[in-house]
Amino acid sequence: MSVAPQSVGRRERNKQAKLDRITAAAAELFAEHGVDEVTTQQIADKADIGAGTLFLYAKSKGELLLLVQNSGYADALVAGRTAAEAIPDVFDAVMAIVRPVVECNRKQIDNGRTYLREIVFGDPEEPHHRDALALTVQTEQMIAEVLTRDPRVEPRNAARLAHVVSAIMFLSMAATINISRSVDEILSEISEQVYVLLRRGGTHPPAD
């Protein structure tokens, strides 16, 4: 017997509503207390669902953090792309992509650093982890697109340079030594390294 389309639609809407409640509950609790101080039971209670239901949407607290942070990361990439499109200079356009990602990651420093660890060490078979990895790929693709504005940079080299820029950004955000540093200080550190990289890679960032 076939399932009525309206029944399928209702079921999907209910699933999305639960996911939205879980995301909102986790985001609020993580922001207020930090991911390490929050339990999955607290998130389930705040979302008004059972713990078993919660684990149908995210199998661990790490996956819940990925779910929450991925949304902010995606918004940061949209902002970065928009800003970069309006900036003709290659170096400045690359940094326009980097800035909102760093700002997003540093809204709650411990959560941001835990998010980066989850991306590196989490289970790539889990859906929210796959989404996070896809966002890192999008970041590199956006940077590579900007780098190819310079006719001296071949697409293959642009992808390689973009991979290194991404690595610089993530290491700067994750480094323990940078815990107390401001967003602008971290961006300055990234900028200095990217400047040297792009100069050697064939692009010519503006002089200080």
Side-chain angles (χ1 to χ4, degrees):
M1 183 176 67
S2 62
V3 178
Q6 58 266 34
S7 298
V8 175
R10 186 181 305 113
R11 184 161 60 246
E12 290 303 316
R13 289 196 298 272
N14 288 338
K15 287 175 61 178
Q16 186 60 51
K18 287 181 181 178
L19 180 61
D20 291 344
R21 294 207 309 272
I22 291 167
T23 304
E28 183 175 338
L29 289 169
F30 289 159
E32 183 176 353
H33 303 290
V35 64
D36 291 338
E37 303 301 320
V38 176
T39 67
T40 53
Q41 186 62 58
Q42 288 173 313
I43 295 170
D45 290 344
K46 192 169 186 65
D48 194 26
I49 59 171
T53 301
L54 176 69
F55 289 121
L56 294 175
Y57 292 84
K59 293 183 179 180
S60 67
K61 190 164 62 172
E63 277 290 297
L64 285 166
L65 179 64
L66 287 166
L67 171 64
V68 170
Q69 295 286 113
N70 284 348
S71 177
Y73 190 170
D75 290 343
L77 287 183
V78 171
R81 179 186 292 277
T82 300
E85 287 174 349
I87 299 173
D89 180 81
V90 170
F91 173 75
D92 289 342
V94 168
M95 292 306 301
I97 293 171
V98 169
R99 173 174 280 278
V101 175
V102 175
E103 290 174 340
C104 169
N105 186 262
R106 302 293 287 187
K107 285 182 178 178
Q108 216 287 1
I109 294 172
D110 289 339
N111 291 351
R113 296 178 73 243
T114 302
Y115 174 64
L116 297 177
R117 288 200 300 272
E118 287 293 329
I119 291 177
V120 175
F121 298 110
D123 183 355
E125 297 304 314
E126 292 296 328
H128 305 309
H129 188 276
R130 289 199 302 269
D131 290 344
L133 293 176
L135 288 167
T136 66
V137 172
Q138 289 179 37
T139 305
E140 293 186 19
Q141 290 173 338
M142 288 170 57
I143 293 171
E145 288 173 7
V146 168
L147 294 176
T148 55
R149 295 178 189 175
D150 188 326
R152 293 163 297 184
V153 178
E154 297 178 359
R156 182 177 60 179
N157 287 338
R160 290 169 176 169
L161 287 168
H163 185 67
V164 178
V165 171
S166 177
I168 291 169
M169 178 178 67
F170 281 104
L171 284 172
S172 295
M173 291 189 295
T176 302
I177 195 173
N178 287 341
I179 286 179
S180 62
R181 292 184 178 176
S182 68
V183 167
D184 285 339
E185 287 172 328
I186 292 175
L187 284 168
S188 178
E189 175 183 303
I190 295 170
S191 176
E192 290 172 358
Q193 296 178 67
V194 171
Y195 179 95
V196 174
L197 173 71
L198 297 190
R199 184 174 61 187
R200 290 181 178 276
T203 64
H204 289 273
D208 293 335

